[in-house]
Structure formats: C-alpha cells, structure tokens
Amino acid sequence: MSVQNQHVDVLVIGAGPTGSTAALHAAESGFETLLIDAAEFPRDKTCGDGLTPRAVNQLQKLGLADEVTSSHRNRGLKLHGYGGSVTAPWPEGHYGTVGSAMPRTLFDALLVAAAVQRGVQLWEGATATGVEFDGARLDRVRISVAGREVEVTAKYVLVADGVRSTFGKLLGRRWHRGEVYGIAARSYCSSTRSDDEWMHSHVELRDADDVVQPGYGWIFPLGNGDVNLGLGALSTEERPAKINTKKLLHFYADQQRTDWGLGQPREVASALLPMGGAVSNVAGRNWMLLGDAAACVNALNGEGIDYGMETAEMAVNLLDAGSGRDFTLLWPEVLRAHYGEAFLLARTAARLLTYPAFLPLVGPLGLRGPVGATLMPAAARLMGNLITDADRDLMARLWRTAGRVVSGVRKDSPLWDATPV
Ligand SMILES: Cc1cc2nc3c(=O)[nH]c(=O)nc-3n(C[C@H](O)[C@H](O)[C@H](O)COP(=O)(O)OP(=O)(O)OC[C@H]3O[C@@H](n4cnc5c(N)ncnc54)[C@H](O)[C@@H]3O)c2cc1C
C-alpha cells in the first residue's frame, strides 16, 4: 500500500458494501479510484446479514452473486406471532427469487477484494479526518493512515462512512432524531437448523414482563452451522423504545432455543439505525453521501445493504453522465425520485408501530386466518423491499397510491433536503 499525497478521479470514503460497490462501478467506468476505510479487512459490522433478492440483483451486476449464493440461499420470509405463521416466498419479478445471508465479515471482505481486483486502490486503517473547500468544491481530504497525515485531492468524493457518518457530519450532514429510528442487536448462535431455507421473523416480540415491544426478532440461517439471531425495535424522540436490546436478545434466544437447537448467543453487538432518508445535506458541488450515511434504510425492516449498493450504482451513473454537474440539489432529487414515496410511507407505518397499543391490535388479525393468508405475503413483499415502479399488480398499485397520499400529507417531513448548516 503506497500512502502519499495524491490526486484521483474518485475518492470513496468507507469500504462497507456501499463504498466497495461504488468503487467497483467507478473503476469499471474508467475512473482512477481510491477506496479508504478506517478498519482493516476482514472486519465485522453489526448486522442481520440478510440479503434480499434486491441485494442479490446488485451482486449479479458486479458478477459476485454466485460466490455469495453458493454458500447459502433462502427462498423468502416466514413471519410468526400472535398464534399464527405465514410463509411468503420471494415473489417472481424484477429482482428474481433468490435471497441469501452471509456474515458481514466475509461479505464485506469479498466486495473489497473484488474492488481491488478490478483496479481500485485500497487504503485500510485509513481514516478521513478533515476537509478543505475551494469555494463550494470539496477540494482536499485529510487522511490519517499508517501514523501519518496525508492529503488526497479528488474530482469527486463519494462518502459511504456508515450510520454515524462522522465524515459526513464535517460536510454538514444532519440526522433528524424526531423521525422514527431503529435500535437493534444481533448475535451468532450455533443451530441445528442453520441450513433452513427461510428467513424467519417473529413479530410478536415480548419482553420478560410479557409486554409486546414495537419491533421484531429475526433468525436468519447462514448455512455454516450458525444462525444470525437478533432483534430491532422502533423508536421516536417522543416514544423511545425502553428496552435493553442485548438483554432482550438473550431472552428471545431462550424462547427459540428448543425450536432451533440453539447454542448460546455469541458476539452480541448493538447499533442505532437512522432510517428512511431522515437526514439533510447529503450532497454538495462534487460530493454525495451514499447508503447508511444517507439513511437509506427501510424503516419497516432495517435492511440497507440493497439500498446502499443501489445508491452506489446511481451515484457513479451521475459521474458517468459528465463532469461539471453540481450534485447539491441533483443527488437529493435522484434519491427522492427513487425512494421518496416508499421511504416516507414506511417511516409513517413504522411510526404507527411505536404506539404500544397498535401491534397487539393488528398482529392477531394479520397473522391468523384468511386475512393473514392474504395480507402477510404482501407485507413480506414490502418488508423485503421487493416492489418496483415496474410492478403493475394490485398490491404494488396500492403501495404507490398510499406513498403518494402520505407524501402529500407529510410534505414537511425531512427527506434528504438541503438545509443551511
Ligand atoms: C443490528 C442490525 C441489523 C441489520 N440487518 C440487516 C440485514 O439483515 N440486511 C440488510 O440489508 N441490512 C441490515 N442492516 C443495515 C446494514 O447493516 C446497513 O444498511 C449496511 O451496513 C450499510 O452499508 P454501508 O456500506 O453504507 O455502511 P457500513 O457497512 O457501516 O460501512 C461503513 C464503513 O465506513 C468506514 N468508515 C467510517 N468512518 C470512516 C472514516 N472517517 N474514514 C474512513 N472510513 C470510515 C467504517 O469503518 C465502515 O467499514 C442492519 C443493521 C443493524 C444495525
């Protein structure tokens, strides 16, 4: 690794799935690309490790789908709770019917290695710590690496530094904590059902006092002898979820132990999740925030790998479309056009779930009997991020109509807007 002051076409900050995908696309488009990450790979990332067909579709574009799905495939979601269970296979459609799950330690390292193989220069253990502007242009990024401070100038800077986005904050990124956000914890457990071909969600999440919590538990088989077992709860400033996620995770694992032949939870880790585009200032003259940094996470299920990879592709397409474009307003517009209505709608639905009375009221209806059998596959399709603009069926139309209505009603909700810092 040759670390020195230099100029590149594209500097990508953060080498999670979003940053690696961006670097890969940029290199393939002929840009001289430098990818940096504060960590050294392989590194862990707190995650459920679930990959929807939407993520697998992105992997296909990178030529990496087989490498991931050959170790484990899943066929859809099974939702459990309130005395019922519903199986919802991934629907036929644009994204295909193959999902997967892979520990992030392996998944992220695979993407980073692929980026390097295709000509991306990689600096590991390299933290972006400062910026200098030349007028409105982000001119210089200070990087602390190998005990030294170096400066990189770049024509374009793509920021994929994750949920905390410390570098994004230097650029003015602001997270709106009044909007719904997630708190989540995950663990790994050995399981006799590690080869199970379904992603399981338990939407009736009860704590030790038998109180239903506003969230859900998940068990995602990994095909390697382990499952990823975790849970997420939804919160707002007015109604913060009052749970200890790690403690609840152990309680949830105890409840599932017999069914799943579970060992004790290992590597328990928790994290916050800003969601649904509830951040401002995600772009400037020659820089864009991508993936988690831009809160591109589904508010109904906490998934973001697929969106991260998609935002990476869309951002590089904008670079491809020619230099000299100002991304300050263009990038938020692109994000809103692709995700705006769906994200606002999901955020609004997620907010409903933070009312303590809501889930116990609708849960039994949704998961039992004929209503459940009709509604839940549709809900699973929403939870799996699998409705596209191209879909013309009734559920897709209803979802889009609801999206337009909510967007009209919640016009003032923050959605990647540019606000004075
Ligand atoms: C408990 C939990 C469960 C989840 N489950 C799922 C799931 O099952 N499926 C799914 O799709 N999504 C899931 N998500 C969301 C998913 O983890 C994120 O959407 C995804 O990791 C986003 O990828 P990213 O590349 O944008 O960010 P990250 O993966 O966080 O990568 C950011 C990278 O930036 C680096 N970095 C940060 N700051 C700097 C800096 N200043 N300089 C250099 N490098 C820097 C970090 O080291 C890191 O490697 C879950 C999240 C949580 C918290």
Side-chain angles (χ1 to χ4, degrees), residues 117-409:
Q117 209 177 24
R118 294 192 212 166
V120 171
Q121 189 189 166
L122 172 72
W123 290 0
E124 298 177 78
T127 307
T129 54
V131 280
E132 254 175 56
F133 283 88
D134 176 7
R137 267 191 95 261
L138 198 172
D139 182 46
R140 224 163 265 275
V141 175
R142 261 191 307 284
I143 297 171
S144 170
V145 53
R148 296 173 48 198
E149 292 285 319
V150 294
E151 288 190 339
V152 172
T153 56
K155 198 163 164 190
Y156 304 113
V157 181
L158 300 179
V159 184
D161 59 348
V163 78
R164 289 181 185 279
S165 194
T166 41
F167 186 78
K169 276 185 211 146
L170 295 179
L171 301 172
R173 178 218 199 235
R174 198 154 63 87
W175 168 30
H176 298 276
R177 286 168 178 262
E179 296 299 313
V180 75
Y181 61 93
I183 52 174
R186 73 94 224 256
S187 67
Y188 292 107
C189 301
S190 62
S191 166
T192 51
R193 290 173 58 189
S194 174
D195 291 326
D196 190 293
E197 289 183 319
W198 299 87
M199 293 167 83
H200 294 254
S201 292
H202 295 92
V203 294
E204 184 179 359
L205 186 62
R206 288 185 184 272
D207 64 16
D209 298 324
D210 211 30
V211 176
V212 176
Q213 292 298 325
Y216 75 103
W218 71 76
I219 300 182
F220 295 166
L222 296 167
N224 63 355
D226 280 347
V227 293
N228 182 313
L229 178 145
L231 55 88
L234 295 160
S235 251
T236 60
E237 250 173 359
E238 312 103 73
R239 285 180 299 286
K242 294 189 187 84
I243 59 169
N244 176 332
T245 48
K246 290 186 179 174
K247 205 163 137 195
L248 189 55
L249 184 146
H250 283 278
F251 184 68
Y252 172 53
D254 289 344
Q255 288 171 324
Q256 299 299 325
R257 179 147 296 116
T258 311
D259 254 14
W260 282 85
L262 290 181
Q264 285 304 321
R266 317 182 310 270
E267 299 167 64
V268 181
S270 61
L272 279 186
L273 267 169
M275 294 164 155
V279 294
S280 299
N281 303 333
V282 292
R285 177 85 183 74
N286 62 334
W287 58 268
M288 293 176 255
L289 299 190
L290 320 177
D292 270 18
C296 289
V297 171
N298 184 324
L300 283 177
N301 64 8
E303 288 183 17
I305 295 172
D306 40 13
Y307 292 122
M309 296 177 80
E310 285 176 9
T311 54
E313 185 190 13
M314 291 190 296
V316 174
N317 284 342
L318 290 186
L319 310 186
D320 273 342
S323 58
R325 301 172 93 181
D326 183 340
F327 302 133
T328 313
L329 299 176
L330 180 61
W331 182 233
E333 262 166 36
V334 169
L335 291 175
R336 278 193 290 268
H338 276 84
Y339 305 130
E341 287 178 357
F343 273 25
L344 251 190
L345 180 54
R347 233 160 68 188
T348 306
R351 182 176 279 271
L352 278 180
L353 296 175
T354 65
Y355 288 92
F358 186 77
L359 250 181
L361 195 73
V362 299
L365 198 70
L367 279 153
R368 284 205 299 250
V371 179
T374 316
L375 266 187
M376 277 300 126
R381 203 167 145 210
L382 300 182
M383 285 182 78
N385 306 340
L386 296 173
I387 292 185
T388 68
D389 283 348
D391 290 336
R392 293 277 166 256
D393 59 287
L394 180 65
M395 181 44 62
R397 282 171 203 268
L398 282 176
W399 179 247
R400 280 195 295 269
T401 306
R404 279 193 289 274
V405 172
V406 167
S407 298
V409 175

